[in-house]
Amino acid sequence: AFVSKDANIAASTDTSEAPASILQLSEILSDCGLSYLGLITGNELEGVYHLLDNDENNKIVENTSLINTGSILAVLWGYVFVEVATIAHGNIEDLLKKLQSCQIERIRALSNMKYLLSSLDYPWKIKKYSIDFMLAMVNTNSASSKDIDEKIDWSSITPSLFSLSQAVQQIIVYATDPKQRKEAFSALTKIFAELPADHKFDILKVLIINSNYPSMTALLLGAVRSEITNAFQTTNASKDEDSHLRSPFQTGDVLELVEFILKPQRGGPPDLPGHSDAVLAALNLYRFLLMIESH
């Protein structure tokens, strides 16, 4: 039922009461020893896989995506409805504090959000709650939080964050509510803020190159400009001029993004006025780079 696409359950997000089936299932969570933190990060799902694997007639173990989507929805229902969190013996406030203060747990939670946000099976209301939850777990001070005991393997987790970025991008493009689009873009920039500069640049580059929406491309180029500013401010503050330590946002790699827009690979000039938003953003970025170079 957590992953149910039943219209009645979907419609219940517009009411002040949680569906009875969700309340019943949430009561089982604590009996199974499943916590909200373990569900949202996936840390406790190995036990679920093991239990299901022992049931020869149950094929759900073959669908990791379904299990992860269900675990996220279990937490999301608790975030939306207080009575669900209460009956599940979960504390959403404590969960958010933990995610805000511990980057590795926050990154795990964010990477798992891709399962729900990438799905086409759930209504926009669920997407909205998902974005709200992401913004709640990634506050203004989250990116600076430190993890002492465990290192983040960015190479293995970045593909999941890229998939999440793609899913959030679709919300920005297709959501009809301007506020929802704005919040989704805010969530996207928060995802970028979590990443080291090299992985961040790689994700932005792929998103820009594969973007089919000029307005979205313009927003992404604006994000690149912000990262350039941050990179130079950080360098000036630390007085670190070692070229091998420089952010990719301080190198000629950025010009490749400008060139991709102004000199399309198919040849010829950019498509105007169809791609005017992207072209103007690229020109502004190029002008900004020239201004930096002149100082």
Side-chain angles (χ1 to χ4, degrees), residues 172-173 211-221 274-278 281:
I172 298 171
V173 171
S211 175
N212 295 318
Y213 315 102
S215 295
M216 187 68 235
T217 304
L219 289 174
L220 293 171
L221 289 172
H275 289 185
S276 58
D277 287 347

Side-chain angles (χ1 to χ4, degrees), residues 96-232:
L96 291 175
K97 287 180 179 178
K98 176 65 175 178
L99 294 175
Q100 290 165 3
S101 63
C102 182
Q103 188 182 30
I104 192 164
E105 297 287 34
R106 186 169 65 251
I107 291 298
R108 286 170 177 160
L110 285 171
S111 65
N112 280 338
M113 292 296 293
K114 71 178 182 183
Y115 292 104
L116 180 57
L117 287 173
S118 298
S119 175
L120 301 177
D121 296 322
Y122 299 97
W124 281 105
K125 197 75 171 180
I126 295 294
K127 308 278 188 179
K128 178 188 182 303
Y129 288 139
S130 299
I131 293 295
D132 289 346
F133 184 74
M134 286 173 57
L135 289 173
M137 79 166 83
V138 186
N139 64 13
T140 54
N141 298 318
S142 292
S144 61
S145 61
K146 302 296 183 182
D147 298 288
I148 299 175
D149 299 327
E150 194 170 357
K151 297 292 185 180
I152 299 176
D153 183 359
W154 290 108
S155 296
S156 64
I157 208 164
T158 296
S160 293
L161 294 178
F162 172 67
S163 297
L164 175 63
S165 299
Q166 286 182 307
V168 175
Q169 180 180 251
Q170 293 301 303
I171 296 175
I172 298 171
V173 171
Y174 290 110
T176 57
D177 182 2
K179 182 180 179 182
Q180 188 172 1
R181 293 198 299 269
K182 182 178 180 180
E183 290 175 345
F185 183 70
S186 178
L188 185 62
T189 59
K190 297 290 188 182
I191 297 169
F192 294 154
E194 296 286 346
L195 290 156
D198 51 346
H199 294 285
K200 186 186 310 181
F201 182 84
D202 289 343
I203 286 182
L204 277 165
K205 181 178 180 179
V206 175
L207 289 175
I208 290 170
I209 289 176
N210 291 287
S211 175
N212 295 318
Y213 315 102
S215 295
M216 187 68 235
T217 304
L219 289 174
L220 293 171
L221 289 172
V224 170
R225 174 171 172 164
S226 296
E227 292 299 333
I228 293 171
T229 301
N230 293 337
F232 277 97

Side-chain angles (χ1 to χ4, degrees), residues 19 77 88 97 130 237-238 265:
W77 285 114
K97 287 180 179 178
S130 299
S238 64
Q265 291 181 333

